[in-house]
C-alpha cells in the first residue's frame, strides 16, 4: 500500500495552545447517533452527557487527551465497508468550521486550555475532493475574507458542485471542496479558551420548537445555540477565522457539506465577527405545565406564578397553586435526579458549528406513563388543532451560577425569517382562515441566565378539526413540517439538526404548489421531528 502523504495549512496561534494542532471532529456512537428524522416507533434517541465526554470526575487539573475518533460512522452514511474497497476505513466525524469560544476554558472533550488556537487544515493525498464551478463574476464572493457579521457560517449559494473535475467553460472558475466526515481530511476554525465572563449576546432556539405544536407520537428535536459578538470584551479577539462552506449533496441524514479551497488545497477563510459559545455548565430541563401556557404570561401588577431556582435549574410554583410539575422529565426518563436539571449535551453539526441538543422522546414518555394528563382542550377556533386535548411543557436551557459564562443583560433570541405561503382549500375564495399552528412561546432572562420555550403536545395524532389554510406568514421550518406531512416536495432554508449528521439544509425555498385538496385530506401522516 502506498504511504499516504498530506498537505496542511495553519495560522498563527496565541496563548498556551499555540502549535498544538488540536482538531475537533465528532462522530457519535451508533447507539446515540440517530438523526431526528425518525417516526414515533423508533426506539433510539439522544440524551446524557456531551458526545465524547466522560463523567465530571474525569475533568481534573490534568489535561485529558482527545481520542483519535469517537464512536461509529457518521449518521446516515453507513459503515465504511459499505463504500467499496477492500480495507475498512476509520470513521470520521464533522470538523469545526465556525469559530467557538470555550467559555469556561474547557472544550467538548473535557480538554482545558487558554488563549486563541489558530485555524488548521490538513488533507491527505488519498482524499478525493469535490469541485465547485462558479462564474468569474462571483470570484469576489468566493474569495472575499469578510468580515462576516453572520450568526451562521458564510455558506456559498452559488455555482455548481460535482464529484468529478469539470472542464471549465469560458468565464468559469473551478474550486475544490473538502467534504465533512472524510478520513484523512481534518480542519478546525479558530477557537478560544478562557475563563470568559463575557455575556452571550444572541440565542438561537431550534425552529421546530417555535414553528408548530407536536403530538404524543412525536420525537421532538430540542436545540439551543449561543452566539457572542466578538470584540465586546478585552480578553477576546475582535474577529476569528472560519471556513467557507458549501452544500454538496442530499438532505436529511445523508446531508453533506464541505470546506471550500483553492485548486491547490489552500482553504478559503472567512473573518467572522461572531462565534458560538460552549460551556460545560449548560443545563436543560423539561417540565410539565398543569395549566395552559397562555395563563402563565406575566400580567401587570401581578406576581409571576412561577419562580426559577438558579441552583436546581428548575421552575417552581410561586404560590400554593400547582401550576407546574417540579420534576425534570429528562432525568425522570433517564434515571437521574428528578429534582435538578440535566447537563446539556453539545455536538458539532454537519456545517461544523457547535450546538446544544436533546431529543424529547414524547412517544416513549407517554408509553412509560411519565406524561399523559391531556385534560385541557384547545378552544381557539382558529387553531389547527381546534377541539383537541393537549398539555403544555416548559423546556428550559440555563447556565449554572458556577460558570464563568453568562448571558448578557441585553441578550436576545435570534429571529427567523418568515415566508408567506398560500394553499387553496375548500374555504370560500378570498377567505382568510388565519390558522394558528400553536408554535412554542419563548421567554428569556439575562439575570437568571436562561431561555425557555413553552411547547404544546396534543393527544393522539393531533390535528383537531384540521381547518384549511389559505394564507399565513410562518417560519421556514413550519413550512418544512407542513411539507413533510402533506408529502409535498418542498425545501426549507433554515436550520435542521440530527445527531452527529446534524442536518442543516441550505438553499432556495420551493413553495408548496397550489392544490384543490383541503388540509383535512392532506394532513394524514404522523409527526416526525423534521423541523
Amino acid at each position: 500500500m502506498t504511504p499516504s502523504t498530506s498537505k496542511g495549512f495553519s495560522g498563527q496561534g496565541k496563548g498556551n495552545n499555540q502549535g498544538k494542532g488540536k482538531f475537533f471532529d465528532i462522530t457519535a456512537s451508533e447507539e446515540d447517533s440517530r438523526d431526528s428524522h425518525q417516526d414515533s416507533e423508533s426506539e433510539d434517541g439522544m440524551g446524557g452527557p456531551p458526545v465524547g465526554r466522560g463523567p465530571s470526575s474525569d475533568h481534573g487539573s490534568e489535561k485529558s487527551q482527545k481520542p483519535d475518533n469517537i464512536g461509529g460512522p457518521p449518521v446516515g452514511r453507513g459503515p465504511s465497508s459499505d463504500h467499496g474497497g477492500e480495507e475498512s476505513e476509520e470513521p470520521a466525524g464533522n470538523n469545526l468550521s465556525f469559530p467557538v469560544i470555550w467559555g469556561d476554558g474547557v472544550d467538548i472533550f473535557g480538554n482545558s486550555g487558554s488563549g486563541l488556537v489558530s485555524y488548521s487544515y490538513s488533507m491527505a493525498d488519498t482524499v478525493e475532493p469535490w469541485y465547485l464551478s462558479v462564474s468569474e463574476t462571483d470570484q469576489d464572493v468566493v474569495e472575499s475574507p469578510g468580515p462576516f457579521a453572520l450568526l451562521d457560517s458564510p455558506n456559498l449559494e452559488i455555482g455548481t458542485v460535482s464529484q468529478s473535475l469539470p472542464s471549465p467553460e469560458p468565464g468559469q472558475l473551478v474550486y475544490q471542496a473538502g467534504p465533512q466526515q472524510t478520513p484523512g481530511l481534518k480542519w478546525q476554525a479558530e477557537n478560544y479558551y478562557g475563563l470568559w465572563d463575557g455575556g452571550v449576546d444572541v440565542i438561537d432556539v431550534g425552529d421546530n420548537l417555535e414553528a408548530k405544536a407536536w403530538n404524543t407520537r412525536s420525537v421532538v428535536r430540542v436545540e439551543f445555540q449561543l452566539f457572542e459578538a466578538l470584540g465586546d470584551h478585552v480578553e477576546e479577539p475582535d474577529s476569528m477565522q472560519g471556513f467557507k462552506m458549501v452544500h454538496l449533496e442530499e438532505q436529511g441524514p445523508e446531508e453533506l457539506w464541505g470546506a471550500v479551497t483553492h485548486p491547490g488545497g489552500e482553504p478559503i477563510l472567512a473573518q467572522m465577527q461572531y462565534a458560538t459559545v460552549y460551556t460545560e455548565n449548560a443545563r436543560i430541563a423539561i417540565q410539565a405545565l398543569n395549566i395552559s401556557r397562555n395563563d402563565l404570561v406575566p400580567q401587570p401588577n401581578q406576581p409571576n406564578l412561577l419562580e426559577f431556582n438558579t441552583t436546581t435549574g428548575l421552575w417552581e410554583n410561586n404560590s400554593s397553586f400547582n401550576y407546574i410539575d417540579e420534576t425534570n422529565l429528562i432525568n425522570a426518563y433517564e434515571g437521574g435526579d428528578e429534582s435538578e436539571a440535566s447537563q446539556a449535551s453539545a455536538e458539532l453539526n454537519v456545517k461544523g458549528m457547535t450546538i446544544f441538543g436533546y431529543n424529547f422522546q414524547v412517544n416513549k414518555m407517554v408509553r412509560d406513563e411519565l406524561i399523559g394528563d391531556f385534560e385541557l382542550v384547545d378552544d381557539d377556533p382558529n387553531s389547527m388543532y381546534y377541539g383537541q386535548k393537549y398539555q403544555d411543557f416548559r423546556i428550559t436551557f440555563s447556565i449554572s451560577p458556577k460558570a464563568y459564562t453568562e448571558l448578557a443583560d441585553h441578550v436576545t433570541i435570534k429571529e427567523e425569517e418568515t415566508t408567506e405561503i398560500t394553499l387553496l382549500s375548500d374555504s370560500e375564495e378570498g377567505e382568510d382562515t388565519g390558522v394558528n399552528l400553536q408554535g412554542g412561546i419563548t421567554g428569556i432572562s439575562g439575570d437568571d441566565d436562561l431561555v425557555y420555550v413553552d411547547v404544546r403536545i396534543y393527544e393522539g395524532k393531533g390535528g383537531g378539526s384540521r381547518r384549511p389554510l389559505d394564507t399565513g406568514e410562518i417560519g421556514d421550518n413550519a413550512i418544512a413540517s407542513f411539507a413533510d406531512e402533506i408529502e409535498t416536495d418542498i425545501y426549507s432554508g433554515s436550520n435542521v439538526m440530527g445527531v452527529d449528521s446534524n442536518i442543516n439544509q441550505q438553499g432556495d425555498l420551493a413553495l408548496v404548489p397550489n392544490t384543490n385538496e383541503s388540509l383535512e385530506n392532506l394532513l394524514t401522516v404522523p409527526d416526525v421531528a423534521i423541523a
Side-chain angles (χ1 to χ4, degrees):
M1 179 176 178
T2 303
S4 172
T5 59
S6 65
K7 49 180 167 284
F9 302 87
S10 63
Q12 298 299 315
K14 300 177 182 179
N16 294 340
N17 296 290
Q18 183 173 359
K20 288 188 177 178
K22 189 185 312 180
F23 285 97
F24 299 96
D25 70 3
I26 293 183
T27 307
S29 66
E30 183 175 359
E31 179 180 358
D32 290 338
S33 61
R34 305 295 189 238
D35 66 280
S36 60
H37 289 247
Q38 55 186 307
D39 60 31
S40 60
E41 301 303 319
S42 171
E43 291 298 320
D44 296 294
M46 172 196 168
V51 177
R53 176 188 290 282
S56 57
S57 58
D58 295 339
H59 305 151
S61 58
E62 295 185 3
K63 182 178 179 298
S64 61
Q65 297 296 318
K66 182 188 83 66
D68 292 334
N69 283 274
I70 299 176
V75 174
R77 307 197 70 81
S80 55
S81 58
D82 296 339
H83 301 162
E86 296 180 359
E87 296 186 12
S88 61
E89 295 179 336
E90 185 179 6
N94 295 321
N95 296 290
L96 180 67
S97 304
F98 193 84
V100 58
I101 294 174
W102 310 115
D104 290 293
V106 179
D107 63 37
I108 49 180
F109 297 104
N111 300 318
S112 60
S114 65
L116 182 67
V117 181
S118 63
Y119 80 88
S120 298
Y121 186 92
S122 175
M123 182 175 70
D125 291 341
T126 54
V127 174
E128 297 182 2
W130 286 59
Y131 298 92
L132 170 66
S133 302
V134 303
S135 169
E136 288 181 349
T137 59
D138 291 323
Q139 181 176 3
D140 288 344
V141 177
V142 177
E143 299 185 17
S144 171
F148 291 91
L150 304 174
L151 298 183
D152 201 351
S153 49
N155 305 307
L156 298 178
E157 302 179 46
I158 58 175
T160 304
V161 296
S162 61
Q163 286 186 270
S164 57
L165 179 63
S167 299
E169 299 179 2
Q172 274 196 332
L173 299 172
V174 178
Y175 298 88
Q176 291 183 356
Q180 291 272 34
Q181 306 168 3
T182 301
L185 179 58
K186 292 184 177 182
W187 69 81
Q188 65 176 17
E190 286 190 327
N191 52 100
Y192 180 83
Y193 288 82
L195 298 179
W196 180 77
D197 58 359
V200 172
D201 296 303
V202 181
I203 298 180
D204 189 8
V205 178
D207 298 346
N208 51 327
L209 299 178
E210 297 180 290
K212 56 165 283 184
W214 299 89
N215 62 53
T216 51
R217 299 173 61 189
S218 301
V219 178
V220 183
R221 180 63 179 165
V222 176
E223 290 173 345
F224 297 95
Q225 198 166 25
L226 312 182
F227 290 92
E228 160 67 8
L230 295 172
D232 288 350
H233 306 279
V234 175
E235 66 270 27
E236 70 185 19
D238 293 334
S239 62
M240 296 171 70
Q241 290 182 311
F243 290 80
K244 290 196 174 181
M245 301 291 288
V246 64
H247 177 244
L248 299 179
E249 68 173 345
E250 303 295 343
Q251 302 297 329
E254 297 289 333
E255 187 168 2
L256 186 64
W257 286 72
V260 182
T261 72
H262 291 284
E266 180 181 358
I268 297 177
L269 302 173
Q271 202 70 23
M272 305 301 298
Q273 294 184 323
Y274 277 90
T276 58
V277 177
Y278 167 80
T279 170
E280 63 176 347
N281 294 300
R283 306 173 297 186
I284 188 171
I286 301 177
Q287 296 175 262
L289 298 177
N290 298 319
I291 59 174
S292 170
R293 62 189 181 185
N294 300 326
D295 295 331
L296 288 175
V297 177
Q299 301 297 321
N301 303 319
Q302 291 186 4
N304 293 332
L305 301 181
L306 301 179
E307 181 175 322
F308 185 72
N309 187 323
T310 57
T311 300
T312 64
L314 300 181
W315 292 90
E316 299 173 348
N317 292 291
N318 198 24
S319 69
S320 59
F321 296 97
N322 186 23
Y323 295 121
I324 191 170
D325 189 335
E326 299 177 0
T327 297
N328 178 15
L329 286 170
I330 296 176
N331 283 347
Y333 173 66
E334 297 181 356
D337 187 347
E338 302 175 10
S339 64
E340 63 181 23
S342 312
Q343 184 180 18
S345 299
E347 60 211 36
L348 291 180
N349 63 28
V350 76
K351 288 165 70 174
M353 301 180 72
T354 57
I355 193 167
F356 294 94
Y358 181 78
N359 282 352
F360 183 9
Q361 306 277 358
V362 179
N363 55 345
K364 297 179 187 176
M365 290 185 185
V366 170
R367 178 198 64 191
D368 295 345
E369 299 182 347
L370 292 173
I371 60 178
D373 296 330
F374 296 88
E375 298 177 352
L376 301 176
V377 177
D378 189 337
D379 59 0
D380 180 358
N382 291 322
S383 173
M384 179 76 183
Y385 309 94
Y386 179 70
Q388 191 81 14
K389 290 185 177 181
Y390 71 88
Q391 185 173 14
D392 291 331
F393 296 84
R394 175 159 293 189
I395 303 175
T396 306
F397 176 92
S398 64
I399 299 175
S400 168
K402 66 182 180 180
Y404 285 90
T405 304
E406 61 184 9
L407 305 188
D409 293 337
H410 59 265
V411 64
T412 60
I413 296 175
K414 180 185 176 185
E415 294 184 3
E416 301 296 334
E417 295 181 358
T418 58
T419 303
E420 185 172 327
I421 64 171
T422 300
L423 289 179
L424 301 182
S425 67
D426 295 337
S427 60
E428 296 180 4
E429 184 177 357
E431 179 185 352
D432 185 358
T433 58
V435 172
N436 184 354
L437 300 178
Q438 299 292 5
I441 298 175
T442 58
I444 194 166
S445 171
D447 291 337
D448 291 325
D449 292 322
L450 69 86
V451 59
Y452 68 83
V453 188
D454 290 342
V455 298
R456 181 156 293 181
I457 305 295
Y458 285 88
E459 187 177 38
K461 297 181 180 179
S465 64
R466 294 178 176 173
R467 292 169 54 88
L469 174 66
D470 282 330
T471 60
E473 192 169 292
I474 58 179
D476 288 353
N477 268 80
I479 301 174
S481 299
F482 265 138
D484 182 78
E485 292 180 342
I486 64 178
E487 300 179 307
T488 303
D489 185 19
I490 189 174
Y491 184 66
S492 168
S494 51
N495 251 359
V496 187
M497 303 289 189
V499 180
D500 186 64
S501 76
N502 299 296
I503 306 153
N504 252 289
Q505 297 181 344
Q506 182 69 32
D508 296 327
L509 177 66
L511 297 182
V512 180
N514 288 334
T515 173
N516 290 322
E517 291 190 76
S518 68
L519 289 184
E520 181 176 4
N521 298 323
L522 291 172
L523 299 179
T524 56
V525 299
D527 274 338
V528 292
I530 167 70

